[in-house]
Amino acid sequence: MLKLKLLTGIVIVAVIAVLGVASIALARSHASTATTVTVKASEFKFVLSTKTARHGLTIFKVTNKGHTAHDFKIAGKKTVKLGPGKAATLRVTLTKGLHKYICTIDSHASLGMKGTFKST
């Protein structure tokens, strides 16, 4: 009887340990699913390191490489106005599909500062 209780206790501890490790691994894999996209803004274009990523959290690291101020807007979120040489990070949760991005300053979008980002 004592051996059965001891064995049951060991099995329960083992199951708890496995569940604990699995939940930590799951949390880490969820956190690591974010995609980082570098965006270089200049007159009058954006250059993205990729134009496609898995849906979910996408981090856009925007740097103004141009000589005039620019910003970057996607999925209803926008960076601050970035002066030459300045940078900002934009964290956006994207759904599957196509997402338009633009520079909202003056007529920059009509001059070419726009595009489409695809979330799969």
Side-chain angles (χ1 to χ4, degrees), residues 41-59:
S42 63
E43 290 76 41
F44 286 96
K45 64 181 179 178
F46 287 117
V47 177
L48 281 68
S49 59
T50 183
K51 289 189 177 186
T52 304
R54 185 164 165 72
H55 70 282
L57 180 60
T58 306
I59 302 167

Side-chain angles (χ1 to χ4, degrees), residues 11-112:
V11 169
I12 290 173
V13 169
V15 168
I16 291 171
V18 168
L19 290 175
V21 169
S23 65
I24 291 170
L26 182 60
R28 284 188 179 166
S29 69
H30 180 68
S32 66
T33 59
T35 301
T36 300
V37 179
T38 59
V39 180
K40 295 178 184 173
S42 63
E43 290 76 41
F44 286 96
K45 64 181 179 178
F46 287 117
V47 177
L48 281 68
S49 59
T50 183
K51 289 189 177 186
T52 304
R54 185 164 165 72
H55 70 282
L57 180 60
T58 306
I59 302 167
F60 293 94
K61 293 190 175 188
V62 184
T63 304
N64 183 353
K65 299 287 190 175
H67 301 289
T68 63
H70 299 292
D71 65 14
F72 182 80
K73 180 179 180 181
I74 188 167
K77 293 196 175 185
K78 180 174 79 163
T79 64
V80 297
K81 187 176 183 180
L82 299 171
K86 299 297 180 185
T89 299
L90 190 64
R91 298 172 64 88
V92 182
T93 301
L94 298 176
T95 57
K96 287 183 179 181
L98 301 176
H99 303 275
K100 302 278 184 190
Y101 59 86
I102 64 168
C103 177
T104 66
I105 297 176
D106 300 328
S107 58
H108 291 194
S110 65
L111 294 170

